[in-house]
Amino acid sequence: MKKDIVLCGVGGDGIVSVAKIISDAALNMGMELKQSEIHGMSQRGGSVFSHLRISDNAIFADVIPEGQADIILSSEPMEALRYLPWLNKEGWVITNSDPFVNIKNYPDIENINAELAKLKNVVSFNANETAKAIGARSNMVLLGATIPYLGIELGKVEKAIVHIFGKKGQDVVDANIKAVRAGFEKATKK
């Protein structure tokens, strides 16, 4: 198995946490891993992204070449568009449809949705709304929606959540697992 994933969003959306969970699950499966992230703007609402490469073979670079990403996981629709040049032709975009409008010239959401609709493989839904309904964070809902395309079983991701958030208490673990399951259901619902 080999997956190249671009995780992107706005500072404070929890993209780095999602990358840690995927990484933990992959490492526990004995996979090779390389990660590169930029999160210096996290306190300013700026663009945040991470390249995450997992494989059962050796990986020699941590940056995904343009046109090679299998998945773009985005916490915000404009950020999904920003990273489309990295997506391969058969790749998946999993994105929150609820925009985070933090700039004056934010593109019209209808135009963004029209561009996303042109893609072959897209899962787009209001992850903020789903998360709010269950008292969770949208980054975990989006992680759950990514699992069917990730090549890592839901149970392995849940074990990674326990490992990473266990020290914060069972309530935090349970909330995150509930959010991941809600996102998984959104992506697999026909």
Side-chain angles (χ1 to χ4, degrees), residues 112-130:
I112 293 173
N113 289 335
E115 289 301 312
L116 290 172
K118 293 177 186 177
L119 300 173
K120 181 178 181 181
N121 300 313
V122 178
V123 176
S124 178
F125 65 99
N126 191 327
N128 295 340
E129 186 176 273
T130 301

Side-chain angles (χ1 to χ4, degrees), residues 90-104:
E90 298 300 317
W92 283 86
V93 172
I94 293 88
T95 186
N96 188 352
S97 64
D98 190 21
F100 182 77
V101 181
N102 61 345
I103 56 175
K104 291 180 183 180

Side-chain angles (χ1 to χ4, degrees), residues 115-190:
E115 289 301 312
L116 290 172
K118 293 177 186 177
L119 300 173
K120 181 178 181 181
N121 300 313
V122 178
V123 176
S124 178
F125 65 99
N126 191 327
N128 295 340
E129 186 176 273
T130 301
K132 185 177 179 182
I134 60 172
R137 298 219 30 218
S138 61
N139 64 328
M140 292 295 124
V141 172
L142 288 165
L143 170 59
T146 306
I147 292 171
Y149 316 102
L150 196 53
I152 298 175
E153 297 172 9
L154 176 61
K156 302 281 186 189
V157 173
E158 290 177 352
K159 284 183 182 179
I161 290 169
V162 171
H163 179 247
I164 289 171
F165 292 113
K167 291 180 181 177
K168 293 186 176 188
Q170 194 61 44
D171 289 344
V172 172
V173 169
D174 291 345
N176 283 308
I177 288 174
K178 185 176 182 179
V180 165
R181 289 179 181 171
F184 184 83
E185 184 178 315
K186 284 279 189 187
T188 57
K189 201 174 192 178
K190 302 290 179 190

Side-chain angles (χ1 to χ4, degrees), residues 27-130:
L27 288 172
N28 286 328
M29 292 172 56
M31 307 294 283
E32 298 289 324
L33 170 74
K34 294 279 186 193
Q35 182 177 355
S36 171
E37 60 188 44
I38 301 295
H39 54 85
M41 297 293 290
S42 63
Q43 294 184 12
R44 297 186 196 128
S47 181
V48 176
F49 70 91
S50 177
H51 285 206
L52 180 59
R53 306 184 85 186
I54 55 177
S55 177
D56 48 11
N57 294 310
I59 303 168
F60 298 103
D62 56 357
V63 176
I64 301 167
E66 284 192 27
Q68 299 298 310
D70 300 298
I71 298 171
I72 293 176
L73 168 57
S74 179
S75 67
E76 201 281 329
M78 184 182 74
E79 293 299 323
L81 286 184
R82 182 190 311 262
Y83 292 96
L84 282 184
W86 276 264
L87 189 66
N88 72 43
K89 292 179 182 176
E90 298 300 317
W92 283 86
V93 172
I94 293 88
T95 186
N96 188 352
S97 64
D98 190 21
F100 182 77
V101 181
N102 61 345
I103 56 175
K104 291 180 183 180
N105 60 344
Y106 190 95
D108 181 69
I109 192 64
E110 303 300 326
N111 293 337
I112 293 173
N113 289 335
E115 289 301 312
L116 290 172
K118 293 177 186 177
L119 300 173
K120 181 178 181 181
N121 300 313
V122 178
V123 176
S124 178
F125 65 99
N126 191 327
N128 295 340
E129 186 176 273
T130 301

